[in-house]
Amino acid sequence: MTHDGRSLPPPELWAALPWAVRERVDAHVVRRARLLAVREVLEAGLCPRPGLYACLDLVHVRGEILADRLVPPPLRDAETLTAHAEGLGWPVLALELEWDEDSWGRILVLDALGGAGERAALAQWQEVAWEEPLAVAAAVAGRLGAELRGPEEDGPARP
């Protein structure tokens, strides 16, 4: 990420934060709860209030600094995701892969869909080859006897 120049750069913004806020930000970063970490910075009471992109930059920098302490990302293998889908409490009729964008780039999201409009996120992938999420989603759909849908035209075509 690059600093936008309208707010304090990450080192100065970090120095301006109260110690208790810094501890909460780092706790969120270590748990990979980036949006909660951003909210801590936004709500820290600094004047002038930092911009959103300055907060995102700071959280990104803290993630790089704390990289060796980050909790492992959630498992995204077919067995784990099948168990998660089976534990939703409603029958999964379809799985849907959709492209989404967040502040850190393009992500591929796998949702479970039920017959009464239920929808639950099962997994997301960022910065991976397209084939891996598609293969996992197809395996989960096969295990559940569910249809696999998507993604639409806004992402790369299926192989």
Side-chain angles (χ1 to χ4, degrees), residues 99-150:
W99 288 105
D100 195 5
E101 300 226 10
D102 70 7
S103 335
W104 285 276
R106 190 166 226 183
I107 58 175
L108 189 59
V109 178
L110 178 63
D111 287 341
L113 307 174
E118 301 97 344
R119 181 181 208 87
L122 293 180
Q124 61 182 348
W125 291 265
Q126 185 170 13
E127 307 295 330
V128 297
W130 161 250
E131 294 82 8
E132 177 191 346
L134 180 60
V136 170
V140 174
R143 290 174 180 208
L144 296 172
E147 174 188 1
L148 179 58
R149 302 178 187 161

Side-chain angles (χ1 to χ4, degrees), residues 14-92:
W14 185 249
L17 291 172
W19 181 254
V21 173
R22 289 185 203 179
E23 287 183 331
R24 288 193 303 270
V25 167
D26 279 354
H28 290 310
V29 168
V30 167
R31 289 191 340 265
R32 297 180 182 265
R34 297 181 299 197
L35 293 179
L36 292 174
V38 166
R39 186 175 74 185
E40 287 289 346
V41 178
L42 284 171
E43 295 177 354
L46 298 178
C47 286
R49 185 177 189 203
L52 176 61
Y53 289 109
C55 297
L56 289 167
D57 285 349
L58 174 61
V59 169
H60 177 77
V61 167
R62 295 305 300 163
E64 289 176 342
I65 291 168
L66 300 170
D68 63 332
R69 294 179 41 203
L70 298 179
V71 298
L75 294 175
R76 295 175 299 212
D77 61 279
E79 185 176 324
T80 301
L81 296 180
T82 301
H84 181 57
E86 290 172 338
L88 290 173
W90 39 268
V92 175

